Amino acid sequence: MADHTTNAASTAEADKGYWAANVRIIIVSLIIWAVVSFGFGILLRPMLAGIKIGGSDLGFWFAQQGSILVFLGLIFFYAFRMNKLDREYGVEEE
């Protein structure tokens, strides 16, 4: 009976670790996306106006294409990192 209780406690700890790592990845991804889309595209746009990329200023580029490309990159990063985390905790899909 004690082994079952110990096993359940270690499983609960592993679950907490898994979800803590998952939430940490989500928070970091959301912060990066917010900084790129809201920060670079809106707040810092006047400061980035002097830098030209692709025929327009860098602030406009971040507002129009950059935030979308960063978002797509974050999707692939999240999928890659979650697959790695799933393997670490033994919950990967077959």
Side-chain angles (χ1 to χ4, degrees):
M1 187 74 170
D3 288 337
H4 179 67
T5 305
T6 305
N7 192 16
S10 65
T11 301
E13 283 298 315
D15 289 347
K16 285 181 184 178
Y18 177 80
W19 284 109
N22 185 3
V23 169
R24 189 170 40 252
I25 293 168
I26 291 171
I27 289 172
V28 168
S29 297
L30 287 174
I31 288 170
I32 291 170
W33 189 37
V35 167
V36 169
S37 62
F38 187 70
F40 290 161
I42 298 171
L43 296 178
L44 299 176
R45 184 162 186 245
M47 291 173 37
L48 299 172
I51 303 169
K52 298 292 182 189
I53 183 170
S56 65
D57 66 86
L58 188 58
F60 178 78
W61 185 85
F62 269 115
Q64 297 303 313
Q65 286 95 6
S67 60
I68 295 168
L69 294 175
V70 168
F71 180 67
L72 289 173
L74 286 172
I75 290 172
F76 286 107
F77 165 76
Y78 180 77
F80 169 77
R81 188 62 185 100
M82 285 306 298
N83 284 334
K84 185 177 175 186
L85 191 66
D86 288 349
R87 284 191 300 274
E88 288 175 16
Y89 284 89
V91 293
E92 71 272 10
E93 296 181 17
E94 295 177 14

